[in-house]
Amino acid sequence: MAAAKIINAKSLKFLEKYLNNASPTGYEWEGQKIWMEYLKPYVDEFITDTYGTAVAVINPKAKYKVVIEGHSDEISWYVNYITDNGLLYVIRNGGSDHQIAPSKWVNIHTKKGIVKGVFGWPAIHTRDRAKEESPKVENIFIDIGAKDKAEVEKMGVHVGCVITYPDEFHILNKDKFVCRALDNRMGGFMIAEVARLLHENKKKLPFGLYVTNSVQEEIGLRGAEMITQTIKPNVAIVTDVCHDTTTPMIDKKKEGETSIGSGPVVSYAPAVQNKLRERILETAEAKKIPFQRLAASRFTGTDTDAFAYSNGGVASALISLPLRYMHTTVETVHKDDVENVIRLIYETLLTIKEGETFSYFD
């Protein structure tokens, strides 16, 4: 496949709808329905599980199985405590950033629908500059305009309600995509585009392809851990996001050097099967797809780990999308990287033969 532009008007419309829909960890199913609806023309069947992971399958009867995977959930908050005067204290659902909360609008999800709120913060005039408190989970709070606890409950808000940010999709300077939850709805988008391209280019794969959109990654790779036992794949290529480390206040000696616009990031880690990773790198070089490298020490912290260590060991690798400002409401990626991750996964799939073991001993 040539380096032609991959994202078209229809796929961009899907991306915007998919990103703007809230999919907090544990509540992913509405987003999964949007994703499945988009994929329906390009695949043979779907598998879903009890907790909401969705899998689009091409060639479901094939014995040899290859997974391409992203995760569908976004970080969020839970209502944890309601004060007598109607303010809400929160706990995390995933790695939500307490520092960005003050003065943000929020959507509180209730049985009656969305209740709007704001993360309040004491005015600058009232704070003691000598010992200014910084935001932390214990002191950030949400105001929904209620006068007391009874009014909060009357509005349908209770302990356990999940809270998301309403920030929506924007394009910055023509080729940067900005939104909350690019981590990792971009992954779901990219694997969906791979399935679309296989269909449109009439590619017949010699194996079953399981396009997997896992739930509950943000709280410990739980959705992947469940679905890999159902699929029992032979190979898994996972895509998630990694940090652009070129913005201020990031230590490259600790985080490595990766940047948006410089191509997909291929990881080195014990969970990454070396022969599969080399296949990806050889494919990138053969197809002139730019790429970057990242070392991940003991674990990748992505669903790669869940697939790799399942079912007696599954040959797994990670292709990441570099991203700025992770776990904020202005996560930023480069369109060229998005298209190159799609190309790299697509072209790598075309090199995999039925029955390949990727064994070091063959």
Side-chain angles (χ1 to χ4, degrees):
M1 188 182 59
K5 289 299 170 201
I6 288 164
I7 298 170
N8 60 29
K10 185 184 173 190
S11 52
L12 195 62
K13 190 177 174 187
F14 158 61
L15 176 61
E16 183 163 6
K17 183 179 181 182
Y18 185 49
L19 284 170
N20 289 349
N21 172 78
S23 254
T25 301
Y27 296 82
E28 299 95 342
W29 59 87
E30 290 304 329
Q32 297 289 50
K33 289 175 187 174
I34 294 168
W35 185 81
M36 291 162 77
E37 186 61 34
Y38 178 73
L39 269 165
K40 201 180 284 180
Y42 312 129
V43 301
D44 298 320
E45 66 179 43
F46 290 95
I47 299 168
T48 55
D49 74 5
T50 310
Y51 279 87
T53 289
V55 185
V57 189
I58 297 169
N59 300 341
K61 291 188 170 64
K63 283 192 169 65
Y64 190 79
K65 300 173 183 179
V66 177
V67 159
I68 56 173
E69 194 259 10
H71 73 82
S72 57
D73 57 318
E74 67 181 283
I75 55 168
S76 55
W77 303 97
Y78 283 121
V79 177
N80 186 47
Y81 168 61
I82 303 166
T83 68
D84 291 339
N85 64 339
L87 299 173
L88 316 177
Y89 283 83
V90 298
I91 55 170
R92 291 188 178 94
N93 184 19
S96 300
D97 188 346
H98 49 280
Q99 298 239 38
I100 68 155
S103 84
K104 291 296 299 178
W105 280 94
V106 294
N107 287 339
I108 303 168
H109 299 260
T110 79
K111 283 183 181 167
K112 298 179 180 180
I114 298 288
V115 172
K116 289 282 183 186
V118 293
F119 270 112
W121 195 245
I124 189 169
H125 323 63
T126 67
R127 303 197 304 261
D128 182 342
R129 309 273 172 88
K131 48 179 183 185
E132 258 201 322
E133 264 199 276
S134 56
K136 42 187 181 276
V137 175
E138 298 75 40
N139 66 15
I140 57 174
F141 62 90
I142 292 170
D143 189 334
I144 61 170
K147 66 178 182 296
D148 56 26
K149 190 173 185 176
E151 191 175 3
V152 170
E153 287 168 354
K154 196 173 167 191
M155 291 166 77
V157 175
H158 54 76
V159 167
C161 281
V162 73
I163 304 156
T164 58
Y165 293 114
D167 301 68
E168 295 196 332
F169 176 68
H170 292 281
I171 296 176
L172 191 64
N173 192 23
K174 301 188 186 73
D175 58 7
K176 316 298 184 307
F177 295 158
V178 180
C179 197
R180 51 158 245 297
L182 297 189
D183 174 14
N184 181 33
R185 285 226 267 298
M186 288 310 307
F189 171 74
M190 293 186 298
I191 59 176
E193 291 296 89
V194 171
R196 173 177 71 84
L197 292 171
L198 289 166
H199 177 84
E200 288 178 356
N201 296 332
K202 298 182 170 55
K203 297 293 182 185
K204 297 286 180 223
L205 299 172
F207 48 78
L209 182 65
Y210 291 72
V211 185
T212 303
N213 209 9
S214 299
V215 297
Q216 300 196 23
E217 187 273 348
E218 295 290 358
I219 50 91
L221 324 181
R222 297 308 193 192
E225 194 177 283
M226 290 183 269
I227 200 66
T228 186
Q229 308 300 337
T230 302
I231 299 169
K232 295 189 165 40
N234 300 91
V235 177
I237 298 172
V238 173
T239 186
D240 206 325
V241 295
C242 66
H243 302 290
D244 174 321
T245 63
T246 65
T247 56
M249 298 187 289
I250 298 175
D251 182 356
K252 292 194 187 78
K253 291 191 290 294
K254 184 177 163 218
E255 301 291 342
E257 183 165 9
T258 44
S259 62
I260 65 169
S262 299
V265 179
V266 179
S267 276
Y268 289 70
V272 173
Q273 212 273 354
N274 292 292
K275 281 194 162 186
L276 180 57
R277 185 197 57 245
E278 290 308 304
R279 176 72 58 86
I280 290 166
L281 295 175
E282 286 159 12
T283 302
E285 284 165 351
K287 298 296 175 180
K288 298 185 167 49
I289 300 168
F291 66 89
Q292 306 174 76
R293 291 183 169 95
L294 178 68
S297 193
R298 291 184 64 198
F299 45 79
T300 70
T302 71
D303 283 336
T304 314
D305 304 336
F307 280 96
Y309 301 131
S310 72
N311 300 295
V314 173
S316 300
L318 174 61
I319 301 172
S320 297
L321 176 68
L323 171 142
R324 289 181 169 181
Y325 322 123
M326 198 181 295
H327 287 204
T328 72
T329 56
V330 291
E331 293 182 336
T332 302
V333 298
H334 199 299
K335 183 184 178 188
D336 291 354
D337 293 336
V338 175
E339 294 193 318
N340 280 320
V341 170
I342 294 164
R343 286 179 63 219
L344 186 51
I345 296 171
Y346 174 93
E347 296 290 359
T348 301
L349 287 177
L350 297 182
T351 74
I352 297 175
K353 295 174 179 65
E354 184 187 9
E356 278 197 75
T357 64
F358 293 94
S359 169
Y360 300 132
F361 306 102
D362 285 353

